Amino acid sequence: MNKPEKAAKAGVPDYSATLYLPQTDFPMRAGLPQKEPEILARWQRIGLYEKLRGLAAGRARFVLHDGPPYANGNIHIGHALNKILKDLVARSQQMLGKDSNYVPGWDCHGLPIEWKIEEEYRAKGKNKDEVPINEFRAQCRTFAAHWIDVQREEFKRLGVIVDWDHPYSTMEFFAEAQIAREIMKFAANGLLYRGSKPVMWSVVEKTALAEAEVEYEDYTSDTVWVAFPVRTIRSGALADARRAAEMSGENPQDIDATGEVFDELHAASMVIWTTTPWTLPGNRAIAFSPKVDYGLYRVTEAAPDNWAKPGALYILADRLASDVFKAARVQNFERIRSIDPHDIETCSHPLAERVPGYEFPVPLLEGEHVTDDAGTGFVHTAPGHGREDFDLWTGQNRALAALGIDTRIPYTVDADGFYTKEVPGFAGRRVIDDKGKKGDANEAVIAALIEASHLLARGRLKHSYPHSWRSKKPVIFRNTPQWFIAMDRGIGEARGSNAPSLRSVALDEIGRTRWVPASGENRIRGMIENRPDWVVSRQRAWGVPIAVFVKKGTNDILIDEAVNARIAAAFEKEGADAWYGDGAIARFLAPDYDPNEYDKIDDILDVWFDSGSTHAFTLEDPKHFPSLAGLKRVRDGGRDEVMYLEGSDQHRGWFHSSLLESSGTRLRAPFDVVLTHGFTLDEQGRKMSKSLGNVTVPQKVISESGADILRLWVASVDYSDDQRIGTEILKSITDNYRKLRNTLRWMLGSLAHFKEDERVAFEEYPELERYMLHCVSEISAGVSEAYSEFDYKKIVALITSFMVSDLSAFYFDIRKDTLYCDPPSSVARKSTLATIGEIFESVVIWLAPILAFTCEEAWLSRYPSEHGSVHMQVFPPIAADWSNDALAAKWRTVRNIRRVVTGALEIERAAKRIGSSLEAAPIVYIEDVAARAALGGIDLAEICITSDIEIRAGEGPADAFRLDDVQGVAVVPQRAEGRKCARSWKISPLVGTDPDYPDVTPRDAQALRELGVTELVRA
């Protein structure tokens, strides 16, 4: 109903004091930026995290293992999304009845922090190489510790409740010790090995990069088309060709001509195309495909200054020949015949005639990666400069050796981007400099090719090229000595030939894991299926070393449990700095081994190995994390589950490295559930950038609007995909928040009049209350299911619709008259208050994981307590008798009829024929007998908030109001007859029939009588 005015008109009694109007200290304006820190302080004071652990003791455990953020700067909106999402998971799983624990962590080693310290050095004119390594490491540690403290406070402000006093970090001494133990396990099980392999190398950062540390950006490369002269024909190729010709019945002259074909081949050249001319000194083979058609072509016309001269013979893919000759400015050419590359055994290196050192044969190898989509149909193969090149070359080692070909892969480029002495004619030329700029290597190689008369054409191409995600500079592939973890070698192969490989174990474990969303499974499966061996070494200073010793002159790793135990014990006490201390070799090896016979490996581990090992020193370390002690996962016959949750890029990052690390050391994944979220973009779907001015800063949102606004945004979006945020989106979120808050406020105000001892039996509740509790039961089931499925946007949608449409716009609107005006003895009023109490408790608990601060404030307003908290509750069980499908079906009909009535009255109000709906007494025509029967026992005027209503059978007059989607209901608006009740504003002919209260209806008179009101002050 419309609320009575407080100010009485002249000569009319003031009835406002006799109404049960809402009363609450819960403010309409949230003031979240001021209120939230007070609530955070209270959580800290009452020890909320510890209370939650105590309350949940003995329950099945749901552990959210934190993917460690990097400790090197303030948090951004992506951090906020991630941490809030984790908090939603942890809080909701706790309220679902589990012991939901979440220990935060930080990733502290690695290049970004080294870079920061090196920047400080450069600003001071210091040289890092002149600083003792452990002094440098100490500065890195201090830097990381500072940012852990900063980020911890920023994460706390988001409302995240975890064990902030006992986080893990990869630089804790016990963590460094365990990381070292983990790599020792790989050494012991035979998967760790030192090898030579092309890796993505950052000259700027002077380190190898994992795939996860690389992003692809546009880059303009030099391109060249290069001729490799045919050197040798396969033995027996000519005889095979003649035999085939004879069997086909060709005439003798054609058979004799076969020999001429092979003579022409000797005069021809195979053409390759590459975007990296600097890799040509490292060329060792040419790859071709049996699926591609090749031909022998002759240049018939070209400009005098052309590199491709008339009469020259080239072997090319037929589909690409025209493109190649166009690039080479060849005016005319002819195709002579088809060519089978299998007939050609080797070519000569294009530099062989001009530069000493390139006289070796260049074999032709069949490669699955070769296509005729672009290039020439042949692929220049430099095994020291490409992954596919390396795999192809090493896969043919035995066959190549049989041909007398040296299979050794040269180290052509050093860590600073210079050609080494293993590059004849070009040593000292630079591929890329320490600023990420091109060096002089390309031009030197191209000049040599021109001089050798084996360059057909050159050009430039803008294309996607790998860059370091930190320095944003291009990387190169270079052959380096590195440490690897083998993907396809049997784990502990010495113990049996049937031992599973790391790849096979990881793939099996992917199938045993629940992926949210499900598409994550295929994504990571494809990555594991196709990934190469894991490069785990980095040539840097700040990290955990690959703590092994190698017999000098060999690649044999020392496997000794006593030595390993000494190393781990030292790391536990001193951290990994112990490895770099004076006399470390003798300290760990003597007296069991002669220190002079072993090399100490000083490369550090890839930081992905660090973070991939976090399960080992958190989930499996009861000493440092007693709250996680005794974890027994479902797969082991227990009740507990472990979740990993990060952005979708972590399928190739943390999920990936954790899966491999655990599979290689424990033959199992460290997780049971993996949830991924997308990236956060601006409102136009663009990546956020300071230069674009489109960055949403979480600290600013919190200071202006509060963390609950951010939390509601996180819960409202489809986190599985990329999300958007910006000013307009946050305005919409804030508007929704206000609706939810005001609904909570109205319930709190109404419940100020609730008395527990006045609660009536459920059987006495009016139908409307029983129907609303049925709605609560439906919403409860949906909310619980959605929380179990981590579908927070569904929860927000369900609860928002319920609070705005079912409560505020329907139930509360109807029951305001009952609540405000009914007598104290009214069963309807008491039932309504009890129902609102049930609804309030359910809604606040449902929303608590999302609106953590607001729901705490509302809960304590309703249930004041020194040590209580809404977050200590579980989702409320629903009484079995609340669910009533038949009643719900009946009220769906009632609500449809009500929609037609309110639609008709809206037109009347807009035309100013009535003011409020209480001035109306419409006639409602209902054709359907069942629909009319549904109104039995219901005061439709009360439901439609009119002063009276008349129901008639039939279709109604033609000009009656109707809704297309509600068939058989028509409404004719009429004004209500009688006087206006001064207390409730209802219009009724019964106003004044009680002589003691001449201004009100009998219902209001009874209320006044029960309230003991015998005389009213007149204004």
Side-chain angles (χ1 to χ4, degrees):
M1 66 172 262
N2 298 303
K3 189 165 77 174
E5 295 175 342
K6 282 194 172 184
K9 295 179 180 178
V12 177
D14 182 4
Y15 287 102
S16 62
T18 73
L19 301 175
Y20 287 107
L21 296 176
Q23 298 174 9
T24 181
D25 293 329
F26 187 77
M28 180 181 296
R29 294 182 64 83
L32 293 176
Q34 295 75 40
K35 186 67 177 178
E36 289 173 344
E38 296 174 10
I39 294 174
L40 283 172
R42 182 178 185 276
W43 288 343
Q44 178 71 21
R45 186 175 68 253
I46 69 173
L48 179 58
Y49 174 81
E50 292 74 17
K51 284 181 179 292
L52 291 173
R53 299 286 69 73
L55 286 169
R59 299 179 189 171
R61 288 195 279 183
F62 188 95
V63 176
L64 197 157
H65 182 44
D66 193 21
Y70 203 73
N72 72 331
N74 294 100
I75 69 169
H76 52 66
I77 194 64
H79 286 120
L81 172 95
N82 178 271
K83 276 294 188 285
I84 290 171
L85 193 54
K86 289 174 179 175
D87 195 52
L88 294 184
V89 170
R91 288 182 187 269
S92 59
Q93 289 293 315
Q94 180 86 10
M95 287 182 151
L96 282 167
K98 298 179 181 179
D99 179 359
S100 183
N101 201 351
Y102 167 20
V103 176
W106 274 272
D107 199 355
C108 302
H109 295 130
L111 190 59
I113 289 175
E114 282 201 47
W115 258 54
K116 292 293 184 181
I117 303 305
E118 289 181 25
E119 283 178 359
E120 293 177 11
Y121 280 8
R122 287 191 288 271
K124 297 175 183 177
K126 292 175 66 175
N127 184 346
K128 172 195 171 186
D129 296 334
E130 297 174 358
V131 177
I133 186 171
N134 278 344
E135 180 181 327
F136 177 79
R137 287 170 60 86
Q139 290 174 292
C140 291
R141 188 179 297 277
T142 300
F143 180 92
H146 163 74
W147 283 109
I148 286 177
D149 289 340
V150 171
Q151 290 186 1
R152 175 170 22 213
E153 294 307 309
E154 292 178 325
F155 288 142
K156 283 183 181 179
R157 186 61 187 85
L158 296 171
V160 179
I161 293 298
V162 296
D163 192 0
W164 289 117
D165 294 331
H166 304 95
Y168 77 80
S169 81
T170 57
M171 70 177 185
E172 292 278 1
F173 290 176
F174 69 85
E176 292 185 334
Q178 189 59 41
I179 293 167
R181 291 188 190 101
E182 295 301 307
I183 197 63
M184 292 170 185
K185 291 177 184 178
F186 279 102
N189 69 19
L191 297 192
L192 181 68
Y193 70 94
R194 182 161 62 179
S196 160
K197 194 168 187 179
V199 296
M200 283 185 285
W201 182 268
S202 170
V203 172
V204 176
E205 297 152 298
K206 292 186 177 61
T207 191
L209 300 178
E211 184 67 36
E213 298 172 297
V214 168
E215 58 190 15
Y216 287 79
E217 303 289 346
D218 285 345
Y219 183 74
T220 300
S221 295
D222 295 307
T223 58
V224 290
W225 288 258
V226 181
F228 282 65
V230 172
R231 179 170 178 154
T232 59
I233 304 299
R234 178 177 59 82
S235 175
L238 177 58
D240 289 346
R242 283 178 170 162
R243 191 178 304 112
E246 289 172 355
M247 293 179 65
S248 66
E250 294 184 17
N251 62 53
Q253 288 183 341
D254 289 338
I255 295 172
D256 291 339
T258 304
E260 298 174 11
V261 172
F262 283 90
D263 289 340
E264 280 184 318
L265 275 183
H266 277 293
S269 294
M270 310 192 86
V271 181
I272 65 90
W273 172 79
T274 181
T275 59
T276 54
W278 62 268
T279 63
L280 282 164
N283 176 277
R284 291 298 182 271
I286 296 173
F288 70 93
S289 171
K291 300 176 183 178
V292 173
D293 294 325
Y294 297 95
L296 176 64
Y297 291 84
R298 178 184 288 116
V299 176
T300 58
E301 184 180 358
D305 62 344
N306 221 32
W307 290 325
K309 306 297 184 182
L313 296 170
Y314 299 113
I315 303 169
L316 297 162
D318 290 332
R319 277 188 61 191
L320 298 168
S322 293
D323 294 338
V324 172
F325 287 127
K326 181 178 180 181
R329 297 186 301 140
V330 169
Q331 294 162 346
N332 285 297
F333 59 91
E334 63 177 343
R335 185 179 190 276
I336 300 173
R337 62 180 59 84
S338 295
I339 293 294
D340 183 355
H342 290 97
D343 290 335
I344 302 170
E345 189 172 68
T346 66
C347 289
S348 294
H349 195 286
L351 297 174
E353 298 171 14
R354 295 288 180 178
V355 183
Y358 296 93
E359 296 83 5
F360 50 83
V362 177
L364 267 71
L365 303 176
E366 191 175 308
E368 293 182 359
H369 62 293
V370 181
T371 71
D372 56 1
D373 293 335
T376 67
F378 296 106
V379 175
H380 145 60
T381 301
H385 297 297
R387 187 172 298 154
E388 290 173 327
D389 302 41
F390 176 88
D391 291 341
L392 180 62
W393 181 258
T394 55
Q396 296 290 326
N397 267 0
R398 187 172 298 177
L400 292 169
L403 293 173
I405 292 174
D406 182 4
T407 59
R408 179 183 173 275
I409 302 173
Y411 295 102
T412 53
V413 180
D414 68 16
D416 295 312
F418 290 100
Y419 279 139
T420 68
K421 293 179 180 179
E422 294 192 45
V423 185
F426 302 98
R429 299 285 190 175
R430 201 169 195 182
V431 175
I432 192 169
D433 65 20
D434 56 3
K435 299 292 190 297
K437 302 294 185 182
K438 292 179 185 176
D440 57 355
N442 266 359
E443 288 303 324
V445 170
I446 292 171
L449 289 169
I450 294 172
E451 186 178 347
S453 300
H454 290 308
L455 185 70
L456 268 72
R458 66 179 297 180
R460 293 172 72 81
L461 176 70
K462 186 175 184 180
H463 62 133
S464 182
Y465 188 84
H467 287 62
S468 166
W469 71 285
R470 297 185 189 94
S471 66
K472 309 301 181 185
K473 300 300 182 183
V475 302
I476 60 174
F477 280 89
R478 62 178 285 260
N479 191 36
T480 59
Q482 297 288 347
W483 286 91
F484 300 85
I485 289 175
M487 290 296 298
D488 298 306
R489 185 183 297 175
I491 300 174
E493 224 165 17
R495 295 194 294 272
S497 59
N498 294 323
S501 69
L502 177 53
R503 192 186 309 276
S504 66
V505 173
L507 290 171
D508 286 345
E509 288 300 297
I510 288 170
R512 298 187 65 170
T513 301
R514 178 185 175 192
W515 300 89
V516 183
S519 58
E521 177 174 355
N522 288 335
R523 185 172 185 188
I524 195 168
R525 182 177 294 280
M527 292 176 176
I528 296 294
E529 285 175 340
N530 298 307
R531 71 154 296 135
D533 288 353
W534 184 4
V535 184
V536 293
S537 52
R538 296 291 184 270
Q539 291 69 46
R540 303 296 295 182
W542 176 227
V544 178
I546 299 176
V548 298
F549 293 97
V550 175
K551 188 80 169 178
K552 286 188 175 180
T554 73
N555 285 324
D556 297 336
I557 301 171
L558 174 64
I559 308 295
D560 188 297
E561 291 185 7
V563 172
N564 290 348
R566 286 198 288 270
I567 295 169
F571 283 20
E572 287 266 8
K573 185 178 179 180
E574 306 162 36
D577 292 358
W579 190 253
Y580 301 101
D582 293 338
I585 299 179
R587 174 185 183 182
F588 297 127
L589 291 181
D592 304 318
Y593 300 92
D594 182 354
N596 295 316
E597 295 182 359
Y598 288 88
D599 290 323
K600 177 169 67 76
I601 303 305
D602 285 338
D603 286 358
I604 64 168
L605 283 161
D606 172 16
V607 290
W608 291 112
F609 189 92
D610 282 20
S611 59
S613 302
T614 55
H615 64 93
F617 56 82
T618 51
L619 304 181
E620 301 173 15
D621 188 345
K623 176 183 176 183
H624 293 98
F625 301 101
S627 65
L628 299 175
L631 192 68
K632 189 173 183 181
R633 292 161 62 185
V634 172
R635 61 179 297 161
D636 299 321
R639 301 182 298 161
D640 306 331
E641 289 183 289
V642 175
M643 170 185 268
Y644 278 36
L645 186 163
E646 292 302 325
S648 56
D649 59 331
Q650 297 307 309
H651 287 109
R652 65 172 184 165
W654 187 54
F655 303 150
H656 197 117
S657 64
S658 297
L659 173 63
L660 293 184
E661 201 289 325
S662 185
S663 295
T665 55
R666 292 153 178 80
L667 300 180
R668 60 174 53 203
F671 40 65
D672 303 292
V673 184
V674 175
L675 185 149
T676 56
H677 60 77
F679 295 97
T680 305
L681 310 173
D682 74 359
E683 289 178 309
Q684 284 72 48
R686 299 173 300 175
K687 185 177 179 180
M688 292 190 189
S689 165
K690 289 182 180 179
S691 62
L692 292 176
N694 64 342
V695 177
T696 295
V697 180
Q699 295 86 343
K700 183 180 179 184
V701 176
I702 291 170
S703 67
E704 293 177 353
S705 304
D708 264 357
I709 299 301
L710 274 181
R711 295 178 69 93
L712 184 56
W713 166 72
V714 171
S716 300
V717 299
D718 180 1
Y719 64 77
S720 66
D721 201 351
D722 291 345
Q723 331 83 38
R724 300 185 182 191
I725 193 170
T727 303
E728 294 305 313
I729 288 173
L730 287 173
K731 282 181 182 178
S732 175
I733 295 293
T734 302
D735 287 344
N736 192 37
Y737 171 83
R738 289 195 187 103
K739 293 174 184 176
L740 299 176
R741 182 181 182 88
N742 287 338
T743 303
L744 293 176
R745 182 174 184 271
W746 186 87
M747 285 193 280
L748 282 168
S750 298
L751 289 169
H753 305 293
F754 175 74
K755 297 177 182 178
E756 186 61 42
D757 59 0
E758 292 185 350
R759 184 186 291 273
V760 299
F762 179 74
E763 294 75 18
E764 297 182 49
Y765 281 19
E767 269 195 19
L768 179 56
E769 277 57 49
R770 285 186 281 129
Y771 165 64
M772 292 312 301
L773 291 177
H774 168 84
C775 292
V776 171
S777 72
E778 283 190 326
I779 299 295
S780 177
V783 166
S784 295
E785 180 184 14
Y787 270 126
S788 297
E789 296 295 324
F790 315 107
D791 190 351
Y792 306 115
K793 69 181 186 305
K794 182 178 180 180
I795 294 162
V796 172
L798 280 172
I799 298 176
T800 299
S801 176
F802 179 60
M803 293 180 72
V804 174
S805 301
D806 294 325
L807 296 182
S808 294
F810 175 68
Y811 180 55
F812 294 165
D813 212 21
I814 293 168
R815 281 308 191 211
K816 285 177 182 177
D817 176 72
T818 300
L819 287 172
Y820 299 169
C821 302
D822 266 18
S825 62
S826 165
V827 170
R829 178 181 163 276
K830 293 175 182 178
S831 301
T832 301
L833 285 172
T835 300
I836 292 173
E838 299 285 6
I839 292 172
F840 173 85
E841 182 170 329
S842 296
V843 165
V844 172
I845 295 175
W846 292 339
L847 279 173
I850 298 168
L851 299 179
F853 295 103
T854 301
C855 290
E856 183 76 307
E857 181 186 6
W859 184 265
L860 294 175
S861 180
R862 174 82 176 114
Y863 306 109
S865 167
E866 183 66 26
H867 300 288
S869 170
V870 68
H871 301 292
M872 295 161 61
Q873 309 302 310
V874 295
F875 292 130
I878 299 301
D881 53 0
W882 285 11
S883 180
N884 190 329
D885 292 336
L887 185 65
K890 172 180 177 177
W891 274 86
R892 280 195 292 272
T893 299
V894 174
R895 292 184 72 170
N896 278 334
I897 294 170
R898 180 180 187 266
R899 284 201 299 118
V900 184
V901 174
T902 54
L905 297 185
E906 281 300 318
I907 293 174
E908 296 302 296
R909 185 182 287 118
K912 301 188 183 302
R913 289 189 285 269
I914 61 173
S916 77
S917 61
L918 289 175
E919 295 178 17
I923 301 170
V924 180
Y925 294 87
I926 303 174
E927 291 185 64
D928 185 61
V929 174
R932 291 197 300 275
L935 299 177
I938 292 175
D939 182 350
L940 188 59
E942 178 184 54
I943 301 303
C944 295
I945 316 176
T946 59
S947 289
D948 197 4
I949 210 161
E950 181 182 351
I951 300 170
R952 296 181 183 176
E955 62 179 278
D959 61 350
F961 179 83
R962 294 173 174 83
L963 290 178
D964 292 340
D965 62 335
V966 182
Q967 296 296 312
V969 179
V971 176
V972 177
Q974 301 281 344
R975 288 189 63 86
E977 296 181 355
R979 291 171 55 199
K980 183 177 183 180
C981 174
R983 185 168 180 266
S984 69
W985 291 13
K986 282 188 176 180
I987 296 173
S988 170
L990 298 178
V991 172
T993 55
D994 189 321
D996 292 334
Y997 302 96
D999 299 330
V1000 301
T1001 65
R1003 186 275 308 261
D1004 290 273
Q1006 179 62 26
L1008 294 171
R1009 190 169 284 111
E1010 291 184 20
L1011 290 168
V1013 178
T1014 58
E1015 183 175 346
L1016 289 169
V1017 178
R1018 293 181 179 269

